[in-house]
């Protein structure tokens, strides 16, 4: 089973494609594209939402074996909601709508439901799945960890 893990931010969407075959889990896109940067000419939220929808469709066509999507959502804590986290939530909604049109199950998870914490997510992802060869950071580790957590759902 292939799982798509997603982590959105106002400037970039990170995604991990995992192939889960029993107890063997591999990061399919470790050496290829895993980062969707919003183009400079996408300034308005409407333009970004439209562009992201097109890109998600492209990714799903590129990996037709994807059977589930898991989104790592923003953590809302003491700082409260900010404009940037609100924008990321809009992007999460695009993922949800894209999954719905393709009838793919989707889960939205926080660190607690993934089984890790922000300051440990890179180690968690590396230990359980591995790391990408380019652009490895916490957001990419979020996408990998989210996808990994969806393998038994």
């Amino acid at each position: 089973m292939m799982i798509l893990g997603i982590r959105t931010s106002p400037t970039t969407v990170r995604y991990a494609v995992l192939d889960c075959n029993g107890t063997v889990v591999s990061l399919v896109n470790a050496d290829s594209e895993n980062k969707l940067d919003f183009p400079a000419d996408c300034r308005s939220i409407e333009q970004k939402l439209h562009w992201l929808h097109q890109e998600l469709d492209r990714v799903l066509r590129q990996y037709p074996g994807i059977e589930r999507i898991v989104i790592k959502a923003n953590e809302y804590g003491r700082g409260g909601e900010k404009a940037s986290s609100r924008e990321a939530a809009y992007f999460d909604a695009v993922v949800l709508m894209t999954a719905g049109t393709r009838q793919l199950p989707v889960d939205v998870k926080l660190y607690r439901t993934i089984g890790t914490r922000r300051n440990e997510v890179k180690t968690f992802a590396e230990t359980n799945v591995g790391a990408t060869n380019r652009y490895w950071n916490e957001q990419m580790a979020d996408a990998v960890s989210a996808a990994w957590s969806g393998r038994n759902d």
Side-chain angles (χ1 to χ4, degrees):
M1 169 172 63
M2 291 180 85
I3 303 170
L4 177 64
I6 298 280
R7 179 66 159 116
T8 64
S9 79
T11 59
T12 302
V13 174
R14 303 306 302 271
Y15 72 94
V17 179
L18 268 55
D19 189 6
C20 305
N21 188 357
T23 59
V24 178
V25 179
S26 60
L27 181 55
V28 176
N29 64 329
D31 296 321
S32 58
E33 180 188 61
N34 58 53
K35 182 180 180 190
L36 304 173
D37 289 321
F38 289 99
D41 63 343
C42 280
R43 292 186 179 95
S44 72
I45 189 66
E46 297 86 2
Q47 291 171 322
K48 288 181 176 183
L49 294 170
H50 177 71
W51 180 85
L52 179 56
H53 176 70
Q54 291 179 321
E55 287 297 296
L56 287 171
D57 277 343
R58 180 185 61 80
V59 168
L60 290 168
R61 283 191 310 272
Q62 186 176 349
Y63 298 99
I66 291 173
E67 297 178 31
R68 171 178 297 281
I69 299 174
V70 183
I71 301 168
K72 168 49 184 91
N74 279 322
E75 306 279 332
Y76 295 102
R78 289 177 278 183
E81 184 180 357
K82 300 175 184 155
S84 62
S85 61
R86 194 173 316 122
E87 193 168 328
Y90 299 155
F91 302 144
D92 290 350
V94 171
V95 177
L96 290 164
M97 288 180 59
T98 302
T101 60
R102 292 175 173 263
Q103 298 181 344
L104 291 171
V106 62
D107 296 305
V108 180
K109 296 192 175 190
L110 302 172
Y111 287 125
R112 176 180 35 83
T113 54
I114 291 171
T116 189
R117 297 175 184 194
R118 182 172 190 247
N119 61 345
E120 299 168 356
V121 72
K122 285 174 77 176
T123 302
F124 182 87
E126 291 166 0
T127 301
N128 289 302
V129 179
T132 57
N133 294 320
R134 294 179 19 208
Y135 309 120
W136 182 245
N137 63 13
E138 284 179 352
Q139 289 75 30
M140 189 61 209
D142 285 346
V144 169
S145 298
W148 181 84
S149 74
R151 73 199 187 293
N152 294 323
D153 291 344

